[in-house]
Amino acid sequence: MKNVEFENELVALQSNMRNFAFSLTLNRDDAEDLLQDTTLKVLDNQEKFTDNVNFKGWVLTIMKNIFINNYRKIVRNQTVVDKTEDLHHLNLPQNSGFDSPEGSYAIGEISNSIAAFSDEYRIPFSMHIQGFKYEEIAQHMNLPIGTVKSRIFLARKRLQEQLKDYRD
């Protein structure tokens, strides 16, 4: 395909590309950015296109791959790595909950509510929050695993009931 013919096909496909970009991003500005990135990449890789390939499919595949790569980059940038002894890889947003005095107060209320539980509920629930597995909690407390799961569930329900006023 000649340069002029290639560029004319690409220009004719802009409407379809814009619609596809919007369906991926669900945001008009992001869709326009994706459309521009795709157009530039297609033009840069014009020599890789062969005439016996579906042009529209080739272009939209490039767009989809750019979108996926951008999404992965965003997720990777939001990943926090805990460099403690256990080397856990956490996929959590970087939000401590202390952005405001209200957040600090809510954390205090949660801690107080958990501390008010009897030992039979507080200990397994606290261990579960700290990341212990059900089996480890059961061994530590010398209880059947079903009892541990039940106590954690009941503690969670009780905590939700006590703190229902903090829900957004």
Side-chain angles (χ1 to χ4, degrees), residues 97-112:
F98 292 109
D99 292 338
S100 65
E102 293 83 15
S104 172
Y105 180 72
I107 298 295
E109 286 292 312
I110 293 169
S111 298
N112 291 340

Side-chain angles (χ1 to χ4, degrees), residues 20-166:
F20 186 59
F22 185 74
S23 74
L24 291 172
T25 62
L26 301 176
N27 179 304
R28 200 148 313 274
D29 292 333
D30 291 340
E32 289 296 326
D33 289 343
L34 182 58
L35 174 65
Q36 184 177 10
D37 291 344
T38 304
T39 302
L40 290 173
K41 185 143 190 147
V42 167
L43 290 172
D44 285 344
N45 292 293
Q46 179 178 353
E47 72 281 351
K48 294 180 182 175
F49 179 74
T50 56
D51 286 336
N52 61 350
V53 174
N54 176 359
F55 183 74
K56 181 178 177 182
W58 183 70
V59 170
L60 296 182
T61 300
I62 290 172
M63 180 178 279
K64 182 184 74 167
N65 290 339
I66 291 171
F67 173 77
I68 291 170
N69 290 338
N70 289 343
Y71 176 79
R72 287 179 179 158
K73 191 182 303 180
I74 289 168
V75 169
R76 198 171 34 250
N77 289 338
Q78 291 179 347
T79 300
V80 178
V81 177
D82 181 10
K83 296 186 180 193
T84 60
E85 191 175 294
D86 297 329
L87 297 175
H88 292 291
H89 183 75
L90 304 174
N91 190 12
L92 301 172
Q94 298 178 3
N95 182 359
S96 66
F98 292 109
D99 292 338
S100 65
E102 293 83 15
S104 172
Y105 180 72
I107 298 295
E109 286 292 312
I110 293 169
S111 298
N112 291 340
S113 294
I114 293 171
F117 291 168
S118 63
D119 284 350
E120 67 180 341
Y121 293 102
R122 182 179 43 79
I123 293 171
F125 186 73
S126 296
M127 288 178 74
H128 181 66
I129 289 173
Q130 292 171 12
F132 287 92
K133 293 185 166 84
Y134 292 123
E135 295 83 13
E136 295 171 323
I137 300 168
Q139 284 179 335
H140 176 76
M141 297 189 70
N142 199 22
L143 292 171
I145 194 167
T147 304
V148 169
K149 288 180 179 181
S150 175
R151 288 182 182 177
I152 292 170
F153 173 79
L154 293 172
R156 184 181 295 127
K157 284 295 185 188
R158 185 171 163 194
L159 189 63
Q160 286 174 345
E161 181 61 33
Q162 289 177 352
L163 301 173
K164 66 183 174 191
D165 295 335
Y166 289 101

